[in-house]
Amino acid sequence: MANANDRTNQIESDLSLEFLRVVEQAAIACAHTMGQGNRHLSDQAAVEAMRREMDTVPIDGTIVIGEGERDEAPMLFIGERVGMAQQPALAGRTFDEVDIAVDPLEGTNLCATGGPNAIAVLAASEQGGLLHAPDLHMEKLVVGPSSKHVVDLDAPVRDNLRAVAHSLGRQVDELAVVVLDRPRHESLIAEIRATGARIRLIGDGDLSAGIAAAVAGSGVHAVMGTGGAPEGVLTAAAMRCLNGEIFARLVVATPEDEARCRAMGITDFKKIYKAADLACGKHIIFAATGVTDGALMRGVRFFGDGIRTSSVIMQTDPHRIRFIDSIQVYPGPSVKIRF
Ligand code: VTB
């Protein structure tokens, strides 16, 4: 007979596939808007599709990182309850309580312009397993498994890059560091350039870049600089699965920022968080589908006979990473599928 642990694993492994279709549907919906130049339209398409699909997942879910607080966002707002437990017809049935962090379209501008690395993404854990982070900026340093014990958020850039290069058995000028292209990173970029390391400046999407940094062979060795805190929590969930690391500190600049932190239970504004702090859950699931082509996942392809998506599903328990290539086939007798 299955013991309690087996049962949890069973539930989780089933759920990871349920979450796969949630991110697939979000990606497909917004991919239809690729290049239309309307980031709000792209985002809305992803949010609506994700919300709809989420309610068919057998969970009692709560959004802990979402599209903003209730009055700002009509759907997938922080605190919103999602999942099959919300269906009146199923009242009385019990479902696992799951906390969920979503970014239905990470890289709205990337999708709107057809740029690379837009993804639909979510992370889930047992209750309390994901930090309720306010939508502030966050300083971040993301590295893969080989480099996670040799870097420090407060160390000079030069020291960190030397350490990363050494841990990867290469020269500093053989590294590729991803940095968001923002005026606030002017001095960071100058410091990285001074070391000779190569830089890939990106318009958006430090989450995709963070995932890539933790996967050998992706061509990304570190992500540096300040991005969004919600993306930081999602990155942390991915790091828990990939054995990489994120070092992160909230940017709390004003009394209003402080108040927003306090409202979420955060009182230590200087704390350097690691993946296990931002995503402390025992059971973490991370699911992402490519919207546009990226380092790890291809974008959504519409090919006449169906729709092809490329996704990654990762979980901590059982510890498993799956790269998934799905084809949704249109009805018809002469449909052709290619390998
Ligand atoms: C980054 C980036 C995101 O927000 O986190 C960024 O990775 C941070 O905010 O794709 P700023 O735009 O203020 O720099 C995004 O661009 C959008 O969520």
Side-chain angles (χ1 to χ4, degrees):
M1 208 176 93
N3 65 28
N5 267 345
D6 291 337
R7 190 176 161 273
T8 317
N9 289 349
Q10 183 62 42
I11 290 167
E12 178 165 317
S13 92
D14 292 343
L15 271 188
S16 64
L17 289 179
E18 304 274 351
F19 286 128
L20 168 66
R21 58 188 171 77
V22 174
V23 286
E24 282 178 347
Q25 290 310 315
I28 290 169
C30 60
H32 277 291
T33 72
M34 185 184 90
Q36 293 293 318
N38 186 339
R39 56 179 297 195
H40 297 294
L41 178 74
S42 297
D43 197 42
Q44 196 185 345
V47 170
E48 284 173 6
M50 183 175 272
R51 181 69 184 77
R52 212 172 26 245
E53 198 69 18
M54 193 83 88
D55 269 354
T56 67
V57 177
I59 50 166
D60 182 359
T62 304
I63 301 294
V64 296
I65 295 221
E67 294 288 292
E69 282 99 88
R70 177 188 273 278
D71 40 0
E72 281 175 40
M75 259 181 248
L76 296 175
F77 53 82
I78 296 164
E80 184 174 7
R81 304 294 292 271
V82 294
M84 273 167 68
Q86 302 313 307
Q87 293 183 19
L90 298 175
R93 262 184 68 180
T94 51
F95 295 92
D96 288 331
E97 292 181 345
V98 176
D99 280 358
I100 302 173
V102 299
D103 199 345
L105 176 54
E106 155 66 343
T108 50
N109 282 319
L110 300 173
C111 180
T113 60
N117 287 310
I119 56 175
V121 49
L122 68 78
S125 81
E126 75 275 13
Q127 261 190 327
L130 297 165
L131 185 83
H132 298 206
D135 191 2
L136 295 175
H137 275 152
M138 180 178 250
E139 293 171 66
K140 305 175 196 176
L141 170 59
V142 187
V143 293
S146 315
S147 310
K148 67 180 180 178
H149 296 301
V150 297
V151 295
D152 176 344
L153 188 61
D154 286 330
V157 167
R158 190 193 47 216
D159 294 359
N160 277 336
L161 292 181
R162 274 194 197 143
V164 170
H166 186 253
S167 69
L168 293 172
R170 61 182 69 201
Q171 303 298 315
V172 172
D173 63 6
E174 294 174 327
L175 295 177
V177 182
V178 173
V179 181
L180 277 167
D181 191 3
R182 297 288 188 277
R184 64 175 177 269
H185 290 151
E186 204 182 317
S187 63
L188 171 66
I189 291 167
E191 284 176 65
I192 299 171
R193 284 181 178 152
T195 69
R198 302 156 70 227
I199 302 182
R200 192 172 298 156
L201 289 173
I202 55 168
D204 283 299
D206 66 350
L207 169 53
S208 307
I211 301 168
V215 177
S218 68
V220 176
H221 306 110
V223 180
M224 292 180 141
T226 299
E231 289 87 351
V233 175
L234 283 156
T235 304
M239 293 305 108
R240 288 284 315 282
C241 301
L242 292 169
N243 208 18
E245 191 59 280
I246 176 171
F247 301 84
R249 181 166 46 212
L250 286 164
V251 179
V252 183
T254 65
E256 197 213 328
D257 294 347
E258 290 190 10
R260 289 176 66 190
C261 288
R262 287 212 174 83
M264 299 223 168
I266 296 169
T267 50
D268 180 357
F269 307 138
K270 301 235 155 56
K271 182 177 164 89
I272 296 181
Y273 293 95
K274 291 171 60 170
D277 305 309
L278 297 169
C280 69
K282 180 172 187 307
H283 301 276
I284 299 281
I285 300 177
F286 180 96
T289 298
V291 175
T292 58
D293 285 345
L296 296 179
M297 288 164 282
R298 292 192 62 184
V300 177
R301 282 148 288 158
F302 301 95
F303 62 95
D305 283 339
I307 308 170
R308 190 159 195 150
T309 53
S310 157
S311 307
V312 60
I313 302 291
M314 317 194 258
Q315 54 196 113
T316 52
D317 189 21
H319 199 163
R320 176 160 59 195
I321 316 293
R322 284 178 280 191
F323 291 100
I324 300 201
D325 186 17
S326 301
I327 300 175
Q328 310 209 7
V329 183
Y330 295 147
S334 52
V335 162
K336 286 184 285 308
I337 301 302
R338 270 213 261 173
F339 180 59

